[in-house]
Amino acid sequence: DLHVTKDGYVVVNHDENLKRTYDKDLVIKDHDYQTLLKAKMRKDEKLFSSQLPLLSEFDEAIPDDFNFLIEVKTETKEEAFIIGKEVNRLKRDFQVMSFYPWTIVPLEAVVRDNINGFLVDYTDKGEIFHQILKMVNKHRLTVNPYYQTDNLNYRKEFMRRMVEYAPWGIKEEQLKVALKEGFDKLNSDYIDKLEGLVKKLVIKDYIEFKRSKASKKLILSDDKGQTLDYQINILFDNPLGLVISNNEIIAAKKSGYAYLYLTHQ
């Protein structure tokens, strides 16, 4: 969660002020960075040496193979531009998201070629579907609804229109149900409960089979090297007359290219 200090530094903190988790009650946007650094992180009555971190410090401290989901909590166009320039310097992929249209829209001009996210909470009973649809189409946004108040009719219409739909605030006991609902992404504090799932399939992009030589076995594995069960699908009605037995290509009637899919359920 990002805020901007009075003198233009981009810092990471959930709240707009420090009073809940630091030993000083300071509003971030009203003070310069050096003043804010005087506050020490606090849990109950225990003080820590940790100070208010910069986004750039997070970027340096966290392993490179993690991506960032960034929530912009500022409310002005000027602050959005400052944050946009800072996230462009990150050494990793990221998605920027916000509840505020007047923040997320200006970011389009700074954070180029990036699909940003619009956070929504459907506790508002008004007819807002078409307003959101117009904005996400114009500014190429993901819709990020609060899962606890998700509007099933809105969800159906957004997904029917191929708008990326990625809910947040999913509770631990709701994870498996949410996973089966076909969302593009899931945002949950308990996402580690799904660590056993296959996240990436690994195949050879190109396999050469020569009829004069031995058969060629097809293997599908995950990113940890675990071999997976799969089904083989041949596109275009098998124009080469491939013969596949026990997951091995053992013969072909013609030379050329064939397109295969190995599918893991």
Side-chain angles (χ1 to χ4, degrees):
D1 293 351
L2 300 186
H3 301 266
V4 177
T5 66
K6 186 177 181 180
D7 52 346
Y9 285 84
V10 178
V11 296
V12 180
N13 197 58
H14 182 274
D15 303 339
E16 63 183 15
N17 56 57
L18 302 185
K19 65 180 180 181
R20 186 170 62 89
T21 50
Y22 288 83
D23 64 346
K24 297 184 185 298
D25 183 3
L26 301 173
V27 177
I28 293 174
K29 68 180 180 180
D30 293 339
H31 295 85
D32 60 51
Y33 181 57
Q34 291 302 316
T35 300
L36 295 166
L37 281 181
K38 296 176 182 177
K40 300 297 182 184
M41 192 173 284
R42 172 182 58 80
K43 181 173 174 57
D44 299 324
E45 299 304 316
K46 185 176 181 180
L47 288 180
F48 299 86
S49 60
S50 305
Q51 299 168 302
L52 184 67
L54 296 168
L55 174 62
S56 58
E57 292 174 333
F58 259 65
D59 192 34
E60 285 301 317
I62 292 175
D64 292 357
D65 59 347
F66 279 74
N67 295 335
F68 282 172
L69 192 59
I70 295 171
E71 183 177 344
V72 178
K73 290 195 166 180
T74 58
E75 299 186 26
T76 70
K77 181 177 180 179
E78 291 72 23
E79 291 170 323
F81 282 145
I82 292 172
I83 287 176
K85 291 177 181 178
E86 191 70 19
V87 299
N88 276 338
R89 298 190 183 104
L90 294 175
K91 60 182 180 182
R92 65 192 73 241
D93 290 333
F94 57 85
Q95 183 182 44
V96 179
M97 56 207 306
S98 179
F99 278 103
Y100 311 124
W102 51 88
T103 296
I104 203 71
V105 170
L107 282 168
E108 181 186 34
V110 189
V111 184
R112 300 186 185 280
D113 301 320
N114 196 63
I115 299 177
N116 297 323
F118 183 38
L119 291 164
V120 292
D121 185 346
Y122 294 129
T123 50
D124 176 6
K125 302 302 180 184
E127 182 57 46
I128 59 172
F129 170 78
H130 290 289
Q131 298 173 35
I132 298 174
L133 180 64
K134 182 178 180 180
M135 191 172 79
V136 299
N137 282 338
K138 182 176 180 181
H139 300 285
R140 196 165 167 255
L141 301 175
T142 294
V143 176
N144 300 110
Y146 181 42
Y147 188 74
Q148 309 305 323
T149 60
D150 194 13
N151 184 309
L152 297 183
N153 291 326
Y154 289 179
R155 180 201 298 181
K156 177 182 176 182
E157 291 303 313
F158 279 125
M159 295 175 81
R160 189 168 69 86
R161 289 167 168 81
M162 301 298 288
V163 173
E164 189 172 87
Y165 205 75
W168 55 279
I170 301 172
K171 297 179 180 178
E172 183 177 3
E173 63 272 16
Q174 298 170 322
L175 263 181
K176 290 185 178 178
V177 172
L179 186 70
K180 295 177 181 178
E181 291 183 274
F183 298 116
D184 296 288
K185 300 173 185 174
L186 299 179
N187 185 345
S188 171
D189 290 340
Y190 306 99
I191 209 72
D192 60 298
K193 303 297 181 183
L194 302 178
E195 66 180 350
L197 291 177
V198 173
K199 298 174 181 64
K200 182 180 179 183
L201 303 179
V202 182
I203 63 169
K204 290 185 177 179
D205 293 334
Y206 179 79
I207 297 173
E208 185 177 10
F209 169 73
K210 293 185 177 181
R211 284 175 282 175
S212 60
K213 294 189 177 182
S215 60
K216 188 70 76 170
K217 189 169 183 63
L218 301 168
I219 296 174
L220 183 70
S221 64
D222 64 15
D223 51 341
K224 294 184 173 65
Q226 180 72 34
T227 301
L228 303 172
D229 295 329
Y230 61 87
Q231 293 179 327
I232 300 170
N233 300 283
I234 305 175
L235 276 64
F236 312 125
D237 298 322
N238 198 6
L240 302 187
L242 290 179
V243 179
I244 298 176
S245 176
N246 295 325
N247 295 340
E248 294 185 7
I249 304 173
I250 62 173
K253 293 180 179 179
K254 295 181 181 179
S255 297
Y257 293 95
Y259 293 89
L260 308 178
Y261 275 94
L262 309 187
T263 60
H264 172 73
Q265 183 66 36

